[in-house]
């Protein structure tokens, strides 16, 4: 549910961008969403069409670029994707620690016409 206000923000930002460029419409918005960002790309997509109605973003394509989180192994420095039910490094078996990778949440690009 908390994707609703964030989707409103995305539409606002893209609209502002479109106005600044004197565009007649926003063609597409690319959004980067990490799997630990706390936001679900599909939910944003669901709200997007409703919120975009009547704005420059109406009919725009919302492209969600997912980022899978990675752990860093404290023993050997390996960066790896966590396996289900395990934090173990695939190279040496030590428990990996969370990194910033996967927390991304930002608009990567907006194209207008
Ligand atoms: Zn390791």
């Amino acid at each position: 549910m908390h994707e609703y206000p964030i989707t409103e923000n995305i539409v606002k930002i893209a609209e502002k961008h479109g106005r600044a460029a004197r565009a007649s419409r926003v063609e597409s918005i690319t959004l980067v969403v990490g799997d630990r960002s706390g936001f679900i790309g599909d939910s944003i997509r669901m709200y997007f069409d409703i919120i975009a109605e009547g704005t420059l973003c109406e009919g725009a394509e919302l492209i969600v670029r997912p980022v899978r989180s990675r752990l860093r192994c404290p023993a050997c420095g390996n960066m790896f994707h966590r396996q289900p039910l395990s934090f173990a490094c695939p190279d040496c078996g030590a428990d990996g620690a969370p990194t910033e990778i996967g927390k991304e949440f930002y608009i990567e690009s907006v194209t207008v016409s």
Side-chain angles (χ1 to χ4, degrees):
M1 272 313 273
H2 65 295
E3 277 83 3
Y4 192 91
I6 209 77
T7 309
E8 281 182 320
N9 272 338
I10 292 163
V11 169
K12 261 182 219 157
I13 292 165
E15 247 211 320
K16 207 169 151 191
H17 185 86
R19 287 197 200 288
R22 298 179 190 282
S24 55
R25 60 178 297 253
V26 172
E27 295 260 323
S28 70
I29 301 165
T30 304
L31 197 63
V32 176
V33 183
D35 61 7
R36 285 177 61 236
S37 69
F39 296 106
I40 309 291
D42 284 347
S43 301
I44 294 170
R45 212 194 300 274
M46 198 176 78
Y47 294 128
F48 181 77
D49 287 342
I50 303 162
I51 296 169
E53 224 179 277
T55 75
L56 284 185
C57 298
E58 188 170 339
E61 187 187 3
L62 182 68
I63 301 154
V64 175
R65 209 160 65 69
V67 179
R68 269 184 78 193
S69 59
R70 280 175 186 265
L71 301 177
R72 186 194 303 275
C73 173
C76 73
N78 187 22
M79 299 275 283
F80 59 97
H81 295 298
R82 183 181 181 278
Q83 297 304 309
L85 308 177
S86 167
F87 288 91
C89 168
D91 284 359
C92 73
D95 274 352
T99 65
E100 294 301 303
I101 300 170
K103 288 188 182 170
E104 297 85 348
F105 187 79
Y106 58 90
I107 295 173
E108 187 176 62
S109 62
V110 177
T111 61
V112 298
S113 63

